[in-house]
Amino acid sequence: QVQLVESGGGLVQPGGSLRLSCAASGFTFSLAFMSWYRQAPGKERELVAGISRAGSSTNYADSVKGRFTISRDNSRNAVYLQMNRLKPEDTAMYYCYRPATGSWGQGTQVTVSS
């Protein structure tokens, strides 16, 4: 079955960086559009970034453009989210998502605080 496992979250100071990873299994990863979402306490889950099957096309929420970069390695069945210049408002649970099947990972917590 589809499995998505996120890792790489943690506590970081404002202005710092983190790299999230999502390991995928149970489907043909190279054929799957993939996304990252996040959900802060008391807020709705929101799209952060998406990436096409070959990685040639990406899209970002306005709030993260220029700071976050989504990428993928189809040979490793993995998708990544490089997060730079982090702000306190980036604090949230971050989820890997496969739109075609509505599959979610368990999430990884990112906390930006001094």
Side-chain angles (χ1 to χ4, degrees), residues 4-107:
L4 302 171
V5 180
E6 302 94 333
S7 61
L11 173 64
V12 63
Q13 291 188 343
S17 298
L18 281 174
R19 187 191 193 214
L20 305 184
S21 299
C22 171
S25 61
F27 61 100
T28 306
F29 181 76
S30 61
L31 299 183
F33 185 96
M34 298 296 297
S35 302
W36 284 98
Y37 278 73
R38 68 184 180 186
Q39 187 167 22
K43 294 189 176 182
E44 292 187 359
R45 197 170 292 192
E46 62 173 357
L47 175 68
V48 176
I51 188 165
S52 62
R53 291 176 292 183
S56 56
S57 178
T58 58
N59 63 282
Y60 298 92
D62 286 344
S63 58
V64 307
K65 279 181 184 176
R67 299 188 299 121
F68 290 11
T69 302
I70 188 171
S71 62
R72 66 191 295 160
D73 185 340
N74 287 345
S75 68
R76 296 178 182 269
N77 287 0
V79 60
Y80 308 100
L81 187 67
Q82 177 67 44
M83 306 186 295
N84 298 329
R85 305 200 309 274
L86 282 159
K87 304 175 181 180
E89 50 264 42
D90 294 317
T91 295
M93 186 72 79
Y94 283 72
Y95 298 91
C96 185
Y97 178 64
R98 183 195 179 201
T101 54
S103 303
W104 296 95
Q106 85 288 350

